[in-house]
Amino acid sequence: MKKLFSLFLTLALAQLGVAAQQQVQKPTNDKMVPEMTEVWEPEVRIVQPGVRDSDPPSDAIILFDGSNINREWEDAGGNTTKWLIQNGALVCVKGSGIIKTKRKFGSCQLHIEWRSPSEVQGESQGRGNSGVYLQELYEIQVLDSYNNRTYRHGQAGSLYKQHAPLVNASKKPGEWQSYDIVYTAPIFGSDSATYLMPPRITVFHNGTLIQNNVSLRGPTVYVGIPEYFVKKHGAGSIILQDHGNPVAYRNIWIREL
Ligand code: MG
């Protein structure tokens, strides 16, 4: 009987202990002071912003500033590209193929400015077509979408054949336009053909939100269903597409995330 009483007492004290602990772990708001929820360390890293929003902040990697193409870019085979610099702009030369960054990137913030030809030629996908690829696989469409109907998830600012832009924020052909892109690279599980976390993209076109943290089903494909083409991959180049139109680029910078 004495033993039973002792056991009961031990259990009761243990219960009180747990209750006391829970009280410490969960203080009520009326017993708190503002300082208890302030986090000071580590201090947030300082970055010097550009003068204009389109200027690179101090920690950006400059991918093209109007001069030297060959420092950061090469063609598909790793050779000097045939794309040209004209008046500080990097211009696609039909038939010369894509250009890609020598460096590889995963998650990033990318600023890029582009211009479709002022002389309007062709229609639908044939007018001012190029593209910005992330990790070499995921295209953000560049197209002259000013008074130029095409399939909605193929127009400027679309994540090609996967997500149409929220709005068409296109400027007239021949005017400079910008994309500000926030990209979260995918995470793969043990299965090398399935995303644990798919790639996610946010895009501003000329300062207007057009893709709001959308997830991709797989790499961009012209024919077929994107998810059939998923394969485990790491960081990759930024690619600019040669789609046969003399689309120009300038002021390209990137911040690794
Ligand atoms: Mg394209």
Side-chain angles (χ1 to χ4, degrees):
M1 186 68 185
K2 219 174 186 178
K3 261 188 185 168
L4 201 64
F5 177 73
S6 165
L7 180 67
F8 174 74
L9 194 66
T10 310
L11 281 173
L13 283 172
Q15 283 250 313
L16 275 173
V18 168
Q21 252 186 358
Q22 279 174 344
Q23 260 191 349
V24 172
Q25 283 167 354
K26 289 187 180 173
T28 53
N29 278 342
D30 59 348
K31 288 188 181 139
M32 293 181 77
V33 292
E35 289 75 9
M36 292 171 81
T37 47
E38 291 174 3
V39 179
W40 282 70
E41 301 296 340
E43 186 181 358
V44 175
R45 191 164 55 88
I46 294 169
V47 164
Q48 192 64 40
V51 177
R52 299 167 301 170
D53 286 353
S54 57
D55 290 342
S58 59
D59 63 348
I61 296 168
I62 312 298
L63 294 177
F64 182 66
D65 65 0
S67 56
N68 196 350
I69 318 175
N70 301 319
R71 192 184 68 234
E72 296 288 345
W73 300 87
E74 61 192 10
D75 75 4
N79 303 308
T80 303
T81 174
K82 293 192 175 69
W83 288 37
L84 296 172
I85 297 182
Q86 290 174 343
N87 300 320
L90 177 55
V91 183
C92 175
V93 175
K94 184 178 180 176
S96 59
I98 62 104
I99 60 169
K100 63 186 175 73
T101 56
K102 295 178 181 178
R103 302 183 204 226
K104 312 261 185 205
F105 301 98
S107 299
C108 63
Q109 174 190 350
L110 177 66
H111 175 88
I112 189 161
E113 296 174 24
W114 58 274
R115 185 185 63 193
S116 61
S118 52
E119 191 185 325
V120 172
Q121 284 186 343
E123 57 179 356
S124 188
Q125 293 290 304
R127 184 185 299 180
N129 194 333
S130 183
V132 179
Y133 281 78
L134 298 158
Q135 290 194 303
E136 307 173 26
L137 293 169
Y138 309 103
E139 183 186 14
I140 299 158
Q141 175 71 303
V142 168
L143 194 77
D144 175 5
S145 285
Y146 190 87
N147 291 333
N148 180 30
R149 282 301 305 280
T150 188
Y151 39 95
R152 54 185 276 112
H153 52 3
Q155 68 181 68
S158 63
L159 303 173
Y160 186 76
K161 283 199 171 172
Q162 295 192 44
H163 294 281
L166 294 169
V167 291
N168 181 352
S170 296
K171 291 185 181 178
K172 290 178 181 167
E175 291 184 19
W176 282 104
Q177 314 201 41
S178 65
Y179 284 159
D180 284 283
I181 299 159
V182 181
Y183 175 64
T184 306
I187 297 170
F188 289 86
S190 51
D191 171 1
S192 67
T194 312
Y195 297 132
L196 199 61
M197 297 268 281
R200 302 192 73 87
I201 303 190
T202 296
V203 183
F204 292 84
H205 182 189
N206 299 323
T208 300
L209 181 69
I210 57 161
Q211 299 288 356
N212 187 8
N213 194 29
V214 295
S215 60
L216 294 174
R217 288 152 54 198
T220 300
V221 284
Y222 178 46
V223 179
I225 312 296
E227 56 259 44
Y228 295 166
F229 295 85
V230 176
K231 273 195 196 120
K232 193 170 190 170
H233 64 81
S237 298
I238 305 293
I239 286 179
L240 302 181
Q241 184 187 49
D242 169 14
H243 203 281
N245 302 136
V247 173
Y249 290 92
R250 73 174 185 190
N251 192 22
I252 310 171
W253 51 262
I254 193 166
R255 297 178 65 244
E256 293 175 296
L257 300 178

